Amino acid sequence: MRKNIVAGNWKMNTTVPEGIKLAQEVSQAVKAAGELKCDVIVGVPFPHLVPVCQALSGGPVAVAAENCADHDKGAYTGEVSAAMVASTGAQYVILGHSERRGYYNESIEMLKTKVDLALASGLRVIFCCGESLEERKAGTHFEVIKNELVGSLFHLSAEAFGQVVIAYEPIWAIGTGETATADQAEEIHAFIRQLVAEKYGAVVANDTTILYGGSCKPSNAPELFAKPDIDGGLIGGASLKAADFMGIVTAF
Ligand code: PGA
């Protein structure tokens, strides 16, 4: 049966010392909480990967990068490859976040390449998809999400796809305080699972973890996570304080 996951996405926040402290606070709180109904991941900026992986080594909290390059190595000044990320000890990489698609022009085709490079380096991928407010108002949100998944993921073998976690993040709910209702989110999650079933079969679809992201907080997490197709969350703002993040981790 599929895993529940709560993953933090710190984005461009915290200095290295602040990040190490936050990671340690999360790790201690997770240990103190005893048996949890979800896996816990922290998604951290590149400079934090090595010290945070060291600080969390052997513990219950896994580490994700927030991006990786679309080339495997070479003359790409300033870029960080999937292999570099994997060599830090990180187990996951977040790809396709709407901020990367929007501000850095990451295309469906480029993300396909990043997904392949990440998986080839042994990383698991947290793959984000989601529609803008305009797209939802125009009623094209199902089509937008389908295109993002088909274009960047559905070339994978079933085995490779098994290393992918999907995160549905409606752009209009990210950092805005506006959450999709649990019913709105569930509708899309069920749609995504159906797409996966059509491509890879019911067993794979049933094993696929699908996270919700967008203004998820301790107060709304229980209702979201109670839905049958919502298997946890990708958490931005509320992952920057250990207590808030733990309020979501323990929401199952
Ligand atoms: P938010 O961000 O929780 O601050 O809305 C979620 C995300 O962008 O992953």
Side-chain angles (χ1 to χ4, degrees):
M1 204 35 198
R2 60 185 176 262
K3 277 184 192 174
N4 293 325
I5 295 175
V6 173
N9 173 14
W10 293 358
K11 309 191 180 185
M12 198 173 74
N13 292 297
T14 74
T15 61
V16 170
E18 287 164 356
I20 294 169
K21 185 165 171 279
L22 176 56
Q24 282 167 337
E25 285 168 7
V26 169
S27 175
Q28 276 153 16
V30 167
K31 284 178 194 156
E35 199 164 323
L36 289 170
K37 296 205 175 80
C38 64
D39 287 1
V40 180
I41 302 169
V42 287
V44 308
F46 288 136
H48 302 45
L49 286 170
V50 167
V52 167
C53 285
Q54 278 166 1
L56 300 186
S57 171
V61 178
V63 178
E66 299 174 14
N67 181 28
C68 71
D70 59 338
H71 295 277
D72 67 343
K73 64 168 150 175
Y76 301 98
T77 302
E79 287 294 297
V80 176
S81 72
M84 290 175 190
V85 169
S87 73
T88 67
Q91 300 97 320
Y92 291 86
V93 60
I94 300 168
L95 291 176
H97 193 282
S98 57
E99 288 153 15
R100 304 250 14 126
R101 292 179 193 262
Y103 303 147
Y104 303 101
N105 298 317
E106 294 196 1
S107 66
I108 285 175
E109 195 56 35
M110 181 194 280
L111 287 166
K112 180 183 180 194
T113 304
K114 290 191 179 197
V115 166
D116 288 341
L117 290 167
L119 295 176
S121 294
L123 294 167
R124 291 172 188 230
V125 171
I126 301 175
F127 185 85
C128 305
C129 61
E131 81 284 1
S132 67
L133 190 56
E134 294 70 42
E135 289 161 340
R136 180 161 276 264
K137 281 186 176 157
T140 57
H141 43 303
F142 291 105
E143 198 181 313
V144 166
I145 290 160
K146 182 175 178 179
N147 286 341
E148 290 180 344
L149 296 177
V150 170
S152 302
L153 294 181
F154 280 10
H155 64 289
L156 296 172
S157 68
E159 195 192 345
F161 187 81
Q163 303 303 305
V164 176
V165 171
I166 294 173
Y168 168 57
E169 300 206 311
I171 297 168
W172 47 272
I174 296 176
T176 58
E178 177 138 4
T179 327
T181 65
D183 285 337
Q184 275 175 325
E186 171 60 20
E187 182 185 34
I188 301 290
H189 282 233
F191 170 71
I192 292 171
R193 201 176 303 287
Q194 183 57 35
L195 289 176
V196 175
E198 282 162 21
K199 172 69 188 170
Y200 293 106
V203 173
V204 172
N206 204 35
D207 283 349
T208 302
T209 298
I210 309 176
L211 310 179
Y212 169 78
S215 299
C216 186
K217 39 189 184 276
S219 57
N220 57 29
E223 196 191 346
L224 286 160
F225 296 176
K227 293 292 179 187
D229 290 298
I230 302 181
D231 310 313
L234 181 57
I235 318 300
S239 70
L240 293 171
K241 286 205 180 109
D244 290 346
F245 189 55
M246 285 309 293
I248 300 171
V249 167
T250 54
F252 280 102

